[in-house]
Amino acid sequence: MRRLNWILEIIRTLLCMYMGILIASYLGSSEACARSLLRVLKPVVGSGPYGHAASLSVLSSSMALYAAQNNVNSIREAMGLLLLLAFPTSVAAALQFYLPVVVPTVGPAGLFMVCISAASALLTSILGRVLLLEREDNGSMGKITLVRDPWRTAHRVFFRVGPAVALAMVVVKLGEGYGVTEWIERSLQPLARFVGLPSDASLVVFGCLINVAVGAALGADLRASGKLRMEDLALALAFGRALSLPRIHLQFLFPPAVTFLGRRGLLGATTRTLVETLVNVSVVLALAALIH
């Protein structure tokens, strides 16, 4: 019976993830929805040439950098642009990954983590806008690229993320049986204490370093067993995501930045990684101090 309940829990989690991904994919195929998102971002990124380009990063960072490449004439502008992309990118990540994948796995803790990430990204974008000091422009937002085949896109995303989540849930159960999870928790306890989190949260942080979906799967199990409170799980996910930003940016930000902006893009992406990581960690530490 215990094994059957465990299998049913994995199936339920995967079904929730699939439905969330499918809904997000269909929203991404709607021009009205996409244009509404771009209008919402204008107060943060502005409506000049850099703001226009930054707004496009809610659909694709590569598209944003391609649109801005002819306007970037200095290292400072490259740094400002890459920082400016932070908030639109966080919106895209929330819609495409965190809301459909993480939130169905961990519930309210996932929403809390999304809010922490968005607030940190907002501060990062504000720093970028200060660096650019761009002139406001009321130009058109231009043509929007939509998801052409939402059904196929949803399947592609699900089959990339779903197996990792299912595997993580299986590994947790096996690890508990052989004492592996306890060893990982003891090894990462100093890191958890640094943030003011219980030792069990270290396992969530470790999972996020691999993939935030893995950290969410580990956290869901700890939450269900009563080892983590909702707020501690949310902070652990946010802290783990903050520490995984260098890995995420190396995979998704550095390639288009260097491709379209060259050495200036490399310096800009490096600056963005350092600043955004520092801002995220600072926000998590501040919230942890308030909660505890």
Side-chain angles (χ1 to χ4, degrees):
M1 179 63 68
R2 187 175 180 181
R3 181 176 296 181
L4 177 61
N5 290 336
W6 173 40
I7 294 174
L8 291 176
E9 178 64 20
I10 294 176
I11 294 174
R12 184 193 68 80
T13 299
L14 293 177
L15 284 175
C16 289
M17 285 175 51
Y18 174 76
M19 291 305 300
I21 292 171
L22 186 62
I23 292 172
S25 182
Y26 271 96
L27 287 176
S29 67
S30 167
E31 182 174 352
C33 178
R35 287 193 176 277
S36 297
L37 286 173
L38 297 183
R39 282 195 294 270
V40 168
L41 291 170
K42 278 188 179 182
V44 176
V45 300
S47 56
Y50 290 118
H52 181 184
S55 296
L56 296 178
S57 65
V58 77
L59 303 174
S60 167
S61 293
S62 297
M63 184 191 308
L65 292 168
Y66 174 80
Q69 61 181 328
N70 294 328
N71 293 314
V72 177
N73 299 310
S74 68
I75 292 175
R76 175 172 177 165
E77 290 178 351
M79 290 179 176
L81 174 62
L82 268 297
L83 291 171
L84 195 64
L85 298 183
F87 185 70
T89 301
S90 75
V91 173
L95 293 174
Q96 297 169 6
F97 180 69
Y98 296 117
L99 291 178
V101 175
V102 175
V103 172
T105 305
V106 296
L111 290 174
F112 190 14
M113 184 217 70
V114 170
C115 292
I116 294 173
S117 301
S120 302
L122 178 61
L123 292 174
T124 304
S125 285
I126 290 174
L127 290 174
R129 194 166 181 185
V130 169
L131 271 180
L132 290 171
L133 294 175
E134 65 172 325
R135 178 176 58 85
E136 290 296 323
D137 191 319
N138 294 321
S140 171
M141 293 303 298
K143 185 179 179 180
I144 297 177
T145 298
L146 304 173
V147 175
R148 294 183 178 179
D149 190 342
W151 181 265
R152 183 177 179 181
T153 299
H155 279 76
R156 185 183 302 117
V157 173
F158 176 77
F159 284 109
R160 286 183 60 186
V161 178
V165 172
L167 179 61
M169 297 179 73
V170 172
V171 169
V172 167
K173 292 300 181 181
L174 294 177
E176 288 177 349
Y178 290 98
V180 176
T181 55
E182 294 181 3
W183 177 81
I184 292 175
E185 290 174 12
R186 287 195 300 269
S187 301
L188 294 179
Q189 278 180 7
L191 188 61
R193 284 198 297 267
F194 173 72
V195 187
L197 294 172
S199 59
D200 292 309
S202 59
L203 192 60
V204 178
V205 176
F206 172 77
C208 288
L209 294 177
I210 301 172
N211 188 290
V212 178
V214 174
L218 298 175
D221 186 73
L222 292 170
R223 171 76 173 142
S225 62
K227 294 181 179 180
L228 281 182
R229 298 180 303 168
M230 186 277 290
E231 56 268 32
D232 288 331
L233 173 55
L235 289 173
L237 287 169
F239 186 55
R241 178 190 172 276
L243 296 182
S244 68
L245 280 174
R247 171 187 60 79
I248 295 172
H249 286 174
L250 280 172
Q251 185 175 358
F252 298 109
L253 182 64
F254 276 80
V258 174
T259 297
F260 296 118
L261 302 180
R263 187 175 70 91
R264 289 170 296 186
L266 176 62
L267 293 173
T270 301
T271 301
R272 156 84 178 276
T273 300
L274 294 174
V275 170
E276 192 172 5
T277 300
L278 179 61
V279 170
N280 271 267
V281 171
S282 299
V283 170
V284 172
L285 289 176
L287 288 174
L290 288 174
I291 292 175
H292 298 102

